[in-house]
Amino acid sequence: MHRVVFLGPPGAGKGTQADQFARELGVPHLSTGDLLRSAVAARTPLGLEADGHMRAGRLVPDDLVLKILRERLGQPDATVGYLLDGFPRNLAQAEALGKFAELDRVVSFDIVPELLVRRLSERRVCPTCQSVYNLSSKPPNVADRCDADGSPLVQRPDDRPEAVTTRLKVYADQTAPLLEYYGTRKLLRSIDASGTPEQVAERVRRALR
Ligand code: AP5
Ligand code: MG
C-alpha cells in the first residue's frame, strides 16, 4: 500500500491520522494545504496568489495546486509512494492525478458537520513547527504554548466561522463527488471519523489492509 489518498471534509482528522500512517507506511505525508501554507509564509508568487483563496475558504486554482504538488512528487522521497492529504479535491484534480499515478487506496473520513465545526473552532497550530493542537482533545501542556518550541499558538485564518462555512460548502459541492468517482473504481474505503484519534486510527488501519 504505497499510494494512498485520505479524503474527507475540513476538520475530519486527515492530517492527524496522515502524520501517523505516513510513518507506518514509510512514505511521505503530502498535504497540499501544508505545501500551500508554506508558500504563503515564504511569500512566493504562488503563495501570494493562493493566500486570498485560502483565507476565504475557497479552493486554490487547479493549475497552482498541480504545480506545487508535481514539484513535491518529483523529490526523491516520493519515489517509494506517498500519502496524499487534501488532494485531489475536485474531479479535474482526480483526473490529472490519474494521468501520472495509479492509486492503491482512497480512505474517506465520514463525519457529521457538527463535529467538524467543533474540531475546527478548537484547533490551534504552532506557527513555528506547524504542530497541531486542540483545546479539548489535544491541549498543549502549557495553555496557548507549543509543547515542542514554546511558540504562542495561533488559529488558522481559515478556521474562522465565515471561512469554515465556505469550506464545508466547497467540500459538499466539489469534493464529495469524488466518493462516487473512486467508489466506481473500487479504490474507496469509508471509515467513521468520529470518536477518539486512537479509535479512528484503528479504523484507518483496517481500511488500509
Ligand atoms: P487543508 O489544509 O487541506 O484543509 P482541510 O482539508 O480543510 O482540512 P483540515 O486541515 O482543516 O482538517 P484535517 O482533516 O486535516 O483535520 P486535523 O487532523 O487538522 O486545505 C486548506 C486550504 O488550502 C483549502 O481550503 C484550500 O483553500 C487550499 N487547498 C488545499 N488543498 C487544495 C487542493 N487540492 N485544491 C485546491 N485548494 C486546496 O484535525 C482538526 C482538529 O481536530 C485538530 O485540532 C485535531 O487535533 C482535532 N482532531 C483530529 N482528530 C480528532 C479526533 N478523532 N477527535 C477529536 N479531535 C480530533
Ligand atoms: Mg489538514
Side-chain angles (χ1 to χ4, degrees):
M1 201 68 59
H2 294 302
R3 285 175 300 264
V4 175
V5 168
F6 280 2
L7 188 68
K14 304 178 298 295
T16 301
Q17 299 295 333
D19 267 343
Q20 171 176 345
F21 280 95
R23 276 196 300 276
E24 289 191 17
L25 296 170
V27 296
H29 167 196
L30 305 189
S31 154
T32 41
D34 288 344
L35 293 170
L36 290 164
R37 279 184 287 278
S38 299
V40 171
R43 301 184 62 77
T44 65
L46 189 152
L48 292 175
E49 202 172 335
D51 192 24
H53 297 286
M54 295 176 78
R55 280 178 186 278
R58 295 187 302 267
L59 293 187
V60 171
D62 292 341
D63 56 334
L64 297 184
V65 178
L66 282 162
K67 181 171 187 296
I68 208 166
L69 182 70
R70 279 218 181 84
E71 276 170 19
R72 181 62 187 85
L73 287 175
Q75 289 178 22
D77 63 341
T79 53
V80 294
Y82 36 79
L83 199 171
L84 288 171
D85 158 13
F87 185 95
R89 251 173 150 101
N90 59 26
L91 285 169
Q93 292 182 8
E95 277 166 5
L97 178 65
K99 289 201 180 109
F100 60 86
E102 201 163 316
L103 296 174
D104 297 305
R105 183 84 23 105
V106 176
V107 180
S108 156
F109 286 58
D110 294 354
I111 186 162
V112 292
E114 297 73 44
L115 264 179
L116 300 174
V117 171
R118 177 162 175 214
R119 286 185 187 175
L120 293 173
S121 68
E122 293 180 343
R123 174 165 55 190
R124 298 292 181 273
V125 295
C126 173
T128 308
C129 72
Q130 320 311 324
S131 294
V132 176
Y133 296 89
N134 189 281
L135 296 181
S136 56
S137 62
K138 197 187 171 207
N141 295 328
V142 176
D144 298 324
R145 297 275 167 180
C146 177
D147 294 349
D149 54 39
S151 302
L153 300 179
V154 298
Q155 198 168 21
R156 254 169 61 174
D158 61 345
D159 281 347
R160 286 174 297 106
E162 318 82 79
V164 166
T165 305
T166 305
R167 288 162 68 200
L168 292 174
K169 185 168 174 357
V170 166
Y171 178 81
D173 293 348
Q174 301 191 46
T175 312
L178 296 181
L179 297 173
E180 193 187 335
Y181 180 89
Y182 287 121
T184 58
R185 286 162 178 75
K186 308 274 181 246
L187 289 170
L188 189 73
R189 296 270 177 90
S190 296
I191 61 137
D192 173 7
S194 59
T196 64
E198 294 73 25
Q199 288 169 327
V200 177
E202 197 39 49
R203 295 176 197 134
V204 173
R205 194 164 288 114
R206 281 201 296 272
L208 290 173
R209 275 190 198 129

